[in-house]
Amino acid sequence: MDYLVIAYNLALLSYSLGVLLLASPIPSKSVKSWGSKLISDSLMTAILISSITLIQGIGAYILKVLNVSWEEFFTWLYVRTLTLVSFYTVLTQVASYLKHVELSFLTSPIGYVVSLISLSFTSLRTIYVLSNVIYAFKDKLAVLGVLLYSLPFRVGKGVGSFFIAASIVMFVGFPLMPHFIQSFEASYPSKTLLESKTITVNVVDVNGRGLPYPIVKFYLVRELNNPIGVVLGDVEGKLIIGDGLDVLPKENFTLQVQIEYLGMSFTPVPDYITSEFEINTLSIPQLLMLPGLALLRNGDVEFVDVLYDYGSADITVKAFTNSKVTLVKYLKTNVTYVEVNGRETSCIWSDETWYGISISTCSIELNGSDSYTSLKLIYTPSQPSAPNVGEVRLIYKESIIDDLTNLINVAVTYIYTYIFLPGVYVVILTSMTHALSKVLGGSRLRLM
Amino acid sequence: MGVSMDLVDFIRGLTTQIIAIVWVVFLITWVVGWALRGSPIPIHRIKRLGQSLIEDSVIAAFWLALGSTVFALITFIASNISQPFPPPPTPTPQP
């Protein structure tokens, strides 16, 4: 209120100066008109000083009538900042993921979006600073405006009236910004870009035991010529697709699979994976896994029962005359004894190489005269080793185009809602403030 | 506080001095106006200048004499207008 006393006295001073100019014996039109200008300004200042409580209170009154508050505005601003921060974090993560997948061409649009987001941060920070200044110094701004307004000879009339107008217009305008922007916002950026699907695939044998290091080839349905992905499983037959390593289709999809294992190619049951399930189990009914070796049956043989003790396996199969099983082992696995229906059988091993792994195979005649045949193996198992195969991760081209489109959409949306709309709003507020300041300072009383 | 009070006193002093000067200037202008108007110079422009000087000085004297009254009136009216606001109407739910 101290400033108001100064302003009141300044108004009296400019009034007396005005009268002095008016009374002066200088026969000049401009001197006389300055006199009347000074008088009218001082009267206007007196009005403003007297109605300072009105100026300070009118903003709060309008806000109450419109039922908006500064708290809501600050909450809105905070939520927006959080959204932006989380999107920024996710994008940075996506960019770092993409480096693994050799999709460096996607990192450049992402970098563009990231730069736009930092631009949006700047715009948000400007709004923060402006709104905080208005909120904290609204009353002081009005008083300062009146003081500047009261300076004689119109020294601070324009600035002063702008300050007074800003203390009203900005104080009402900023809490209305969420409503303005929400009415123009078409949609929030789609989150599909950020979701990465993960599918776990388990490759198992007839008994549900995991195949160590299977090679799984993925094909688009009905295009069984060239695989779109080749992925190696782990020691328990498990592999994970998606999870940032692969670019998978956005919507539900089905991919056909083929499995290669120890030099053989299988069509598993089921012969596809689907994104409807998070875990897809592919079983190979032709194959029976034992530690360090595998048994492959022919079409008419059926595995009935397996008893395994370390280095010794008793297998019961259902077989017919001339039925065969093929024994496949790692070279280091040493089979010492093979017995069919209680009789020792010789096994002729032939060596092969499969993706850098040495394996041996041998065919065993079952001579199944009766339906159940027992097969006994005694051997020294060895640790399985991984084939030296070049993995081809799944990259779904349509998905990449979708991602690019999404990125562009997101970029445009962010430019629009975080930079363009608030900028337009602040410009509108400024022009309204200017208009009100013209009303306060532009009109003058005609005294002569 | 002290500085601003000094400032206020300074401005008040300045205003008082200017008002004293204004009365003197008014008298001078009035006298000069009448002198020009009543002078035996047969030039119409000079007579008219004297006339306008008299008018201006009288109007200035009028505003000067009325100054404190005008300010008091403005303060009174504006203070009465800027009474505390009534509470805003709250929308009542329609049945």
Side-chain angles (χ1 to χ4, degrees):
Chain A
M1 290 301 139
D2 223 17
Y3 291 112
L4 288 180
V5 177
I6 298 175
Y8 191 79
N9 282 289
L10 279 174
L12 285 173
L13 178 66
S14 44
Y15 185 88
S16 54
L17 281 172
V19 175
L20 177 63
L21 288 181
L22 212 59
S24 68
I26 307 160
S28 157
K29 267 265 183 264
S30 68
V31 170
K32 303 281 174 189
S33 77
W34 262 108
S36 62
K37 272 180 196 169
L38 277 175
I39 291 174
S40 67
D41 285 356
S42 66
L43 294 181
M44 190 64 195
T45 311
I47 292 171
L48 284 176
I49 291 167
S50 308
S51 51
I52 190 78
T53 48
L54 184 102
I55 291 166
Q56 287 170 347
I58 196 164
Y61 180 76
I62 294 171
L63 282 185
K64 254 189 201 169
V65 172
L66 293 174
N67 204 13
V68 285
S69 73
W70 274 84
E71 283 74 27
E72 281 171 29
F73 170 69
F74 282 127
T75 317
W76 175 81
L77 213 56
Y78 180 67
V79 169
R80 266 177 108 73
T81 316
L82 278 192
T83 318
L84 212 56
V85 166
S86 66
F87 195 72
Y88 188 81
T89 322
V90 168
L91 267 191
T92 333
Q93 278 174 1
V94 168
S96 66
Y97 272 139
L98 285 177
K99 278 176 194 158
H100 293 296
V101 207
E102 294 175 358
L103 280 175
S104 49
F105 68 92
L106 254 185
T107 52
S108 106
I110 286 180
Y112 176 62
V113 175
V114 166
S115 72
L116 280 181
I117 289 178
S118 15
L119 208 64
S120 313
F121 273 127
T122 320
S123 129
L124 265 186
R125 198 168 53 195
T126 316
I127 294 168
Y128 260 117
V129 170
L130 265 178
S131 58
N132 269 314
V133 165
I134 295 293
Y135 184 66
F137 300 112
K138 179 206 51 150
D139 290 351
K140 282 178 185 160
L141 204 66
V143 171
L144 188 66
V146 171
L147 181 63
L148 284 171
Y149 196 98
S150 68
L151 290 176
F153 295 105
R154 301 197 161 175
V155 176
K157 197 183 174 193
V159 187
S161 55
F162 190 84
F163 276 13
I164 297 166
S167 82
I168 300 170
V169 173
M170 301 277 185
F171 188 75
V172 177
F174 271 111
L176 285 173
M177 188 192 259
H179 299 265
F180 174 80
I181 286 174
Q182 272 159 21
S183 64
F184 279 93
E185 249 171 9
S187 61
Y188 285 98
S190 76
K191 293 277 192 292
T192 47
L193 174 72
L194 318 175
E195 286 170 2
S196 87
K197 267 188 192 128
T198 303
I199 296 170
T200 307
V201 180
N202 285 313
V203 183
V204 297
D205 72 346
V206 63
N207 286 342
R209 194 187 154 101
L211 264 63
Y213 305 117
I215 297 173
V216 182
K217 293 182 172 177
F218 298 91
Y219 300 86
L220 291 173
V221 179
R222 287 188 292 281
E223 280 182 40
L224 292 172
N225 303 321
N226 47 335
I228 60 160
V230 177
V231 183
L232 182 68
D234 67 359
V235 73
E236 286 168 344
K238 193 171 96 175
L239 53 125
I240 290 170
I241 58 170
D243 197 25
L245 294 167
D246 306 273
V247 181
L248 297 177
K250 296 287 168 215
E251 55 284 344
N252 281 343
F253 64 92
T254 304
L255 290 172
Q256 296 214 299
V257 284
Q258 286 276 318
I259 292 165
E260 267 194 43
Y261 186 65
L262 292 181
M264 300 166 285
S265 189
F266 300 98
T267 304
V269 180
D271 64 345
Y272 59 87
I273 60 157
T274 169
S275 60
E276 283 172 40
F277 309 120
E278 279 182 22
I279 298 171
N280 282 258
T281 302
L282 306 172
S283 92
I284 304 172
Q286 299 97 319
L287 208 62
L288 179 72
M289 277 308 301
L290 291 170
L293 57 81
L295 265 83
L296 175 71
R297 68 168 171 83
N298 285 358
D300 53 353
V301 182
E302 201 180 305
F303 296 115
V304 177
D305 192 28
V306 187
L307 278 172
Y308 176 77
D309 193 18
Y310 181 80
S312 160
D314 287 300
I315 304 141
T316 311
V317 295
K318 203 173 177 180
F320 301 97
T321 322
N322 297 328
S323 292
K324 280 180 187 175
V325 289
T326 309
L327 214 57
V328 187
K329 70 176 181 75
Y330 293 104
L331 198 62
K332 283 178 187 164
T333 306
N334 189 18
V335 177
T336 48
Y337 181 73
V338 182
E339 186 190 280
V340 178
N341 277 339
R343 267 184 293 165
E344 184 176 0
T345 309
S346 63
C347 212
I348 302 143
W349 295 97
S350 59
D351 293 350
E352 285 174 36
T353 314
W354 178 64
Y355 289 113
I357 304 173
S358 301
I359 52 172
S360 305
T361 56
C362 134
S363 191
I364 301 170
E365 300 255 354
L366 291 176
N367 299 323
S369 51
D370 49 0
S371 53
Y372 287 101
T373 307
S374 75
L375 181 69
K376 189 178 174 70
L377 299 171
I378 294 173
Y379 67 101
T380 323
S382 69
Q383 288 298 317
S385 44
N388 186 16
V389 62
E391 279 197 327
V392 180
R393 301 303 311 202
L394 289 160
I395 293 167
Y396 200 75
K397 289 198 184 73
E398 281 81 356
S399 243
I400 292 173
I401 294 164
D402 278 359
D403 280 355
L404 276 174
T405 324
N406 265 342
L407 272 177
I408 291 162
N409 278 344
V410 166
V412 169
T413 316
Y414 271 104
I415 294 175
Y416 188 63
T417 65
Y418 280 81
I419 303 170
F420 181 70
L421 279 181
V424 164
Y425 193 71
V426 170
V427 167
I428 289 174
L429 280 188
T430 315
S431 64
M432 281 168 76
T433 307
H434 190 70
L436 184 60
S437 78
K438 262 194 161 178
V439 170
L440 289 174
S443 65
R444 67 187 175 84
L445 300 164
R446 285 213 163 261
L447 297 173
M448 281 183 70
Chain B
M1 196 70 184
V3 177
S4 66
M5 273 299 129
D6 284 352
L7 193 63
V8 169
D9 288 342
F10 169 71
I11 295 168
R12 273 182 189 156
L14 213 60
T15 313
T16 319
Q17 280 175 14
I18 287 171
I19 287 170
I21 292 167
V22 169
W23 282 120
V24 175
V25 169
F26 153 69
L27 278 173
I28 292 169
T29 312
W30 194 75
V31 167
V32 168
W34 272 115
L36 286 177
R37 207 185 162 196
S39 67
I41 308 165
I43 302 171
H44 191 64
R45 272 187 62 195
I46 287 176
K47 306 242 173 207
R48 218 170 51 206
L49 181 70
Q51 172 69 26
S52 71
L53 278 181
I54 293 165
E55 279 175 12
D56 284 357
S57 65
V58 170
I59 288 169
F62 169 74
W63 282 116
L64 190 63
L66 226 62
S68 52
T69 320
V70 167
F71 270 80
L73 193 70
I74 286 170
T75 313
F76 176 72
I77 294 170
S79 306
N80 272 325
I81 288 170
S82 60
Q83 287 294 318
F85 286 101
T90 47
T92 47
Q94 296 296 316

